[in-house]
Amino acid sequence: MPTKEAITAASARFPKPADHTFQYGTAGFRMKADLLDSVVFRVGLLASLRSRRLNGQVIGVMITASHNPPVDNGVKLVDPMGEMLEASWEKHATTLTNAPTDDELYAAFEGLAKEMSLPDIKPKVVFARDTRASGSRLVAALVAALEATNAEFTDYKLMTTPQLHYVTRCLNTKGTQKDYGEPTEEGYYKKIAQAFVAANKGRQFNGGITVDCANGVGGPKLNSLLKYLPSASEGGLDIKVVNDDVLQPDRLNHQCGADFVKTNQRAPPSSAAGKLTRCCSLDGDADRVMYYFIDDTDNFHLLDGDRISTLAALFLGDLATNCGFKSEKLRIGVVQTAYANGASTDYISSNLKLPVVCTNTGVKHLHHAATKFDIGVYFEANGHGTILFSDLALKRIFKHEPQSPAQAAALQTMRACTELINQTVGDAISDMLFVETVLAAKDWSPKEWVNTYKDLPNRLVRVEVRDRNIFKAVDAERRLESPPGLQGQIDGLVGKYKSGRSFVRASGTEDAVRVYAEASTRSEADDLATKVTGLVKQAGA
């Protein structure tokens, strides 16, 4: 049993800042790195409690701030199957991180253990971090907590967030019927590479791809994966890696990366993207991907999470038909958030004839909704998402007997895709290879992809406010119930624009509010965003 002396003595090395209140959000805790030492220590305590609660299953801890600036960092917990921390435990994270003193922290820790009648078993925890300079210091705080609670732990050093999710699931399923793979970084590369080769057997790629790695951990990890893939001269995909400098931490996410592309709606200057060159950008911890290209008239075209979602749904729907699933039809559905472009929602429901579900922002909400389908496709517009295959779907896919060579080929591709896609969480590298598989199978360039439907022009604006918590949203975050009267003012503005839509949502990770607006023309979308931003600034002042 962990002793009070061990926990309080370790906690004293990482005192809580007196003037800060912490809250576990959609991506765990995320803020300026110099405020995080006590938070990471206490998250370590929670990881030990969580493992004990789940009878010694392995819990993951990831230290990252994703697309945030280099001065920020963050920490979040990963549950045994590689999913986000169970929502009911978020309040425990908030309680522990806000305990004012070491003694009160221990009282809260011991109180939770007794309340849940936790068994006295050795907790198991694995952890990793991205390339931020503050990461190694924060790891020391985490290790102190794990040692104080007598946990068995493994430091996986530098990893992408999806790699840690993958390893966590592999460790907890090893030797079972749901064995997810070898619980190592090399195991991750082998699984994805073998699946990508199998999915593209006999196909040629329509040109190469330039991958902007945001000068984050995705750069060295993608370069490592390339060693397991056939080169372009061997008939493989030509992957050009740019913005993979992790030796200068200040370059992380600076004028590059998925968030830069989505927010600015232009290619990173450093990518030197040529006309009609297929490009994509990862974010700082490689769990988001954004595609784009510049056409022959110098126009920039963004292919965001909505586009990846619709491409995946189109491909998998056709693939299921080509496999010959008739009497055993697989139910395919798409999950979106309010940030999804209205044109994509209409395309899925009207053209693809597939059900669309809208949830609150945050992977945990989309992931849960996607489990309701046999094949659940979910991507946020920011490029974060994946595809889930239910146990029933996997059983049917792997037991199905093809009735023709064409069905056999389709079935091989479908089976390979279930291995290629990282089902634990959004994975920029895995998702990128899946998109390349779809484009190769359809013999499409980005021009054919972008022409599947026409996006409504949109704008996303970040607004700093004094207190994000006064902005309370309802109806899958599409409407505000607080501050009073603000939604009525937004509705009044929206009604003045053709195909107008706008909503306001408090960030889950920082003291800011995001304003989304779309309309039938670029100037109208920009104008609507500017006016709604003005209302938000007034309300949040």
Side-chain angles (χ1 to χ4, degrees):
M1 282 288 287
T3 65
K4 178 178 181 180
E5 291 73 18
I7 290 176
T8 55
S11 177
R13 295 164 49 199
F14 310 101
K16 177 189 177 296
D19 55 345
H20 281 83
T21 301
F22 303 111
Q23 184 177 342
Y24 199 96
T26 54
F29 295 104
R30 195 177 292 176
M31 65 201 75
K32 294 288 184 288
D34 58 8
L35 296 172
L36 267 171
D37 296 72
S38 70
V39 172
V40 173
F41 174 82
R42 294 163 187 225
V43 165
L45 299 183
L46 187 67
S48 289
L49 288 173
R50 183 70 177 153
S51 179
R52 287 169 59 191
R53 180 70 179 86
L54 297 175
N55 296 312
Q57 289 190 83
V58 180
I59 298 298
V61 180
M62 185 69 199
I63 296 176
T64 180
S66 188
H67 59 280
N68 283 35
V71 295
D72 290 356
N73 215 325
V75 61
K76 63 179 180 179
L77 289 170
V78 180
D79 260 358
M81 290 301 285
E83 71 274 52
M84 297 297 185
L85 175 68
E86 183 182 304
S88 65
W89 273 64
E90 292 179 6
K91 63 179 181 290
H92 303 322
T94 301
T95 297
L96 290 180
T97 52
N98 289 298
T101 67
D102 301 330
D103 285 341
E104 288 170 289
L105 171 61
Y106 179 76
F109 173 87
E110 189 60 20
L112 286 173
K114 288 181 177 177
E115 177 188 324
M116 291 182 275
S117 302
L118 298 186
D120 183 19
I121 55 178
K122 202 172 189 66
K124 296 184 183 122
V125 179
V126 295
F127 58 90
R129 61 183 176 91
D130 68 14
T131 56
R132 293 165 195 273
S134 58
S136 56
R137 189 191 82 239
L138 296 175
V139 161
L142 177 62
V143 168
L146 298 177
E147 289 177 340
T149 53
N150 300 317
E152 177 185 313
F153 60 88
T154 303
D155 181 359
Y156 279 84
K157 310 294 183 184
L158 296 178
M159 269 191 162
T160 69
T161 292
Q163 285 178 328
L164 183 76
H165 284 252
Y166 163 86
V167 164
T168 303
R169 181 163 176 167
C170 289
L171 288 167
N172 286 300
T173 58
K174 193 169 182 62
T176 72
Q177 286 188 326
K178 295 186 177 182
D179 193 317
Y180 199 62
E182 182 187 331
T184 64
E185 189 174 324
E186 184 181 29
Y188 169 89
Y189 297 137
K190 285 181 176 178
K191 180 176 182 178
I192 285 182
Q194 289 168 5
F196 183 66
V197 170
N200 290 283
K201 187 177 181 180
R203 294 199 183 102
Q204 290 188 326
F205 295 98
N206 189 357
I209 181 165
T210 297
V211 186
D212 155 35
C213 295
N215 294 316
V217 69
K221 301 312 178 186
L222 178 54
N223 281 317
S224 293
L225 174 63
L226 293 183
K227 298 170 186 174
Y228 296 83
L229 291 171
S231 65
S233 63
E234 297 169 323
L237 175 64
D238 183 13
I239 300 175
K240 178 185 176 184
V241 180
V242 299
N243 294 326
D244 58 344
D245 180 5
V246 296
L247 299 179
Q248 301 180 68
D250 288 346
R251 295 190 64 185
L252 174 67
N253 294 321
H254 179 64
Q255 291 203 314
C256 59
D259 200 54
F260 173 88
V261 173
K262 176 67 173 173
T263 303
N264 294 279
Q265 308 227 350
R266 62 187 176 95
S270 52
S271 70
K275 289 182 180 179
L276 301 178
T277 300
R278 194 161 69 252
C279 302
C280 72
S281 288
L282 320 184
D283 68 338
D285 64 337
D287 65 357
R288 298 184 186 185
V289 63
M290 200 70 62
Y291 267 77
Y292 49 93
F293 72 101
I294 298 168
D295 67 20
D296 45 18
T297 57
D298 288 324
N299 288 316
F300 174 81
H301 296 272
L302 181 69
L303 294 152
D304 61 6
D306 295 341
R307 291 285 184 174
I308 297 172
S309 181
T310 55
L311 184 73
L314 168 65
F315 178 68
L316 292 171
D318 288 347
L319 199 58
T321 300
N322 294 339
C323 286
F325 291 114
K326 292 180 180 176
S327 60
E328 308 167 309
K329 186 175 180 182
L330 296 173
R331 187 164 174 262
I332 302 172
V334 179
V335 185
Q336 297 184 321
T337 71
Y339 288 109
N341 193 283
S344 72
T345 309
D346 184 63
Y347 173 77
I348 295 164
S349 56
S350 300
N351 291 62
L352 302 184
K353 308 295 184 186
L354 294 174
V356 184
V357 175
C358 186
T359 72
N360 285 1
T361 301
V363 176
K364 60 187 178 186
H365 301 297
L366 288 104
H367 195 95
H368 177 72
T371 63
K372 307 298 183 186
F373 296 102
D374 293 324
I375 302 178
V377 179
Y378 77 82
F379 279 85
E380 295 181 284
N382 64 21
H384 191 168
T386 190
I387 300 162
L388 303 183
F389 295 84
S390 70
D391 290 342
L392 178 62
L394 291 171
K395 183 178 178 181
R396 287 178 174 171
I397 290 167
F398 282 92
K399 287 195 171 184
H400 184 66
E401 292 289 341
Q403 301 301 308
S404 69
Q407 285 189 9
L411 196 60
Q412 174 182 293
T413 301
M414 178 71 91
R415 287 171 177 170
C417 285
T418 68
E419 297 288 307
L420 174 61
I421 294 159
N422 185 345
Q423 295 184 59
T424 65
V425 74
D427 184 335
I429 293 174
S430 164
D431 290 339
M432 180 265 290
L433 293 178
F434 174 71
V435 168
E436 292 302 313
T437 296
V438 177
L439 295 179
K442 299 187 77 63
D443 194 23
W444 275 8
S445 73
K447 288 179 70 175
E448 285 82 22
W449 183 8
V450 82
N451 285 333
T452 50
Y453 63 88
K454 186 176 180 181
D455 269 323
L456 288 169
N458 60 88
R459 182 65 73 202
L460 182 63
V461 182
R462 179 182 176 276
V463 186
E464 290 190 7
V465 293
R466 194 168 53 188
D467 180 10
R468 64 179 170 175
N469 293 310
I470 68 171
F471 295 88
K472 299 190 183 302
V474 293
D475 186 22
E477 301 177 324
R478 290 175 286 193
R479 299 184 64 78
L480 287 174
E481 64 176 8
S482 172
L486 181 56
Q487 186 60 54
Q489 292 177 286
I490 294 171
D491 290 343
L493 285 174
V494 167
K496 297 176 182 178
Y497 298 85
K498 183 181 178 182
S499 301
R501 183 171 73 95
S502 183
F503 66 90
V504 175
R505 174 186 171 269
S507 170
T509 58
E510 54 189 336
D511 278 322
V513 167
R514 301 194 188 277
V515 172
Y516 177 88
E518 65 183 31
S520 60
T521 67
R522 164 59 59 202
S523 61
E524 286 189 323
D526 289 345
D527 192 49
L528 178 57
T530 299
K531 288 179 177 175
V532 174
T533 296
L535 293 177
V536 168
K537 285 181 176 177
Q538 283 183 327

